[in-house]
Amino acid sequence: MVEEVDPIKYEIFRHRLFSILEEGRTTIGMVSGSPAIVEGGECMVSFYDPEGRIILCAGGILFHVTGSRDAILKTIEWYSEDPGIFPGDQFFYNDPYIAGSHIYDMIMVSPIFHQGKLIAWSGSMTHTGDTGGLLRGGSKEIFHEGIRFQGIKLAERGKLRADVFRSITQQCRDPHYVGLDLKARIASNNVATQRFLALIEAYG
């Protein structure tokens, strides 16, 4: 038997979820400062259920929501057993054959656990202008386009992995810029996760 949901409570809950995602999107802009994000609006923050189905998104380019979904599905498929998925983990993708539309669209997905159980995912995605590859217009194959990652764990149990961070940023022309974008996506997921769990606690 399906329990009926009070439509007013549902709308209040949905709007609170959306406001959390908007806060996550604001966080990206505040940490990154990239013109592509702050002025161009090329970012997206979204929530997904434990299986990767879209719950709600807030972003400047909405088709990015499917990129994070694909990243979550691959994370579940590839990494559930090894190295495992834990609270505070953040997985980085920018391979367009796996998730997203091109290498410049970089994705961070993070699991949300409550009382030891995976209950949702947070995804953040931005356009980052430096990938270490050939300048625009010169690429003839994907190997010319720069760094390409398929779900490497950038943060583990809430701690940034400095070795992985360096491995990504030092392949680019502007490590500081790329590093800020990486940290912006991590911060956005952290904010969204904290607010999501507080909302779940409030609603029981």
Side-chain angles (χ1 to χ4, degrees):
M1 182 178 179
V2 178
E3 184 179 348
E4 289 190 10
V5 178
D6 184 286
I8 296 176
K9 289 182 178 179
Y10 169 79
E11 282 298 315
I12 292 172
F13 186 84
R14 186 175 70 86
H15 279 277
R16 289 190 67 179
L17 269 184
F18 188 78
S19 70
I20 290 170
L21 293 175
E22 281 293 304
E23 185 177 354
R25 191 160 70 101
T26 300
T27 300
I28 290 179
M30 293 177 67
V31 175
S32 167
S34 166
I37 296 168
V38 177
E39 299 175 19
E42 291 204 42
C43 66
M44 183 278 312
V45 185
S46 48
F47 286 131
Y48 305 80
D49 75 4
E51 286 75 42
R53 290 183 289 262
I54 299 165
I55 296 174
L56 193 64
C57 69
I61 300 180
L62 296 182
F63 78 83
H64 282 167
V65 73
T66 59
S68 291
R69 176 204 62 197
D70 294 340
I72 291 167
L73 294 177
K74 281 301 178 186
T75 301
I76 295 170
E77 177 186 349
W78 287 347
Y79 305 119
S80 291
E81 296 298 325
D82 183 16
I85 300 171
F86 305 101
D89 285 354
Q90 303 255 3
F91 295 85
F92 171 66
Y93 289 81
N94 77 319
D95 186 338
Y97 290 119
I98 303 299
S101 57
H102 62 168
I103 281 177
Y104 295 95
D105 286 340
M106 299 187 178
I107 305 166
M108 204 80 69
V109 296
S110 182
I112 302 175
F113 285 82
H114 182 253
Q115 297 179 352
K117 181 181 179 181
L118 177 65
I119 61 169
W121 290 82
S122 173
S124 61
M125 185 173 188
T126 70
H127 178 97
T128 296
D130 182 7
T131 62
L134 295 177
L135 297 176
R136 289 166 184 77
S139 299
K140 296 182 180 179
E141 58 181 1
I142 197 166
F143 300 104
H144 295 161
E145 294 185 9
I147 59 172
R148 182 160 53 109
F149 286 89
Q150 299 183 343
I152 194 166
K153 192 181 284 195
L154 181 55
E156 189 164 17
R157 299 179 189 263
K159 184 178 180 180
L160 179 70
R161 293 186 57 188
D163 57 339
V164 177
F165 183 79
R166 285 194 303 271
S167 295
I168 297 170
T169 58
Q170 295 305 312
Q171 295 185 68
C172 301
R173 294 177 179 84
D174 191 340
H176 180 69
Y177 165 51
V178 175
L180 281 177
D181 273 10
L182 289 171
K183 290 178 178 178
R185 288 186 290 272
I186 289 174
S188 174
N189 281 339
N190 286 341
V191 167
T193 295
Q194 292 167 9
R195 301 293 188 269
F196 186 93
L197 290 174
L199 183 60
I200 293 298
E201 290 289 345
Y203 274 76

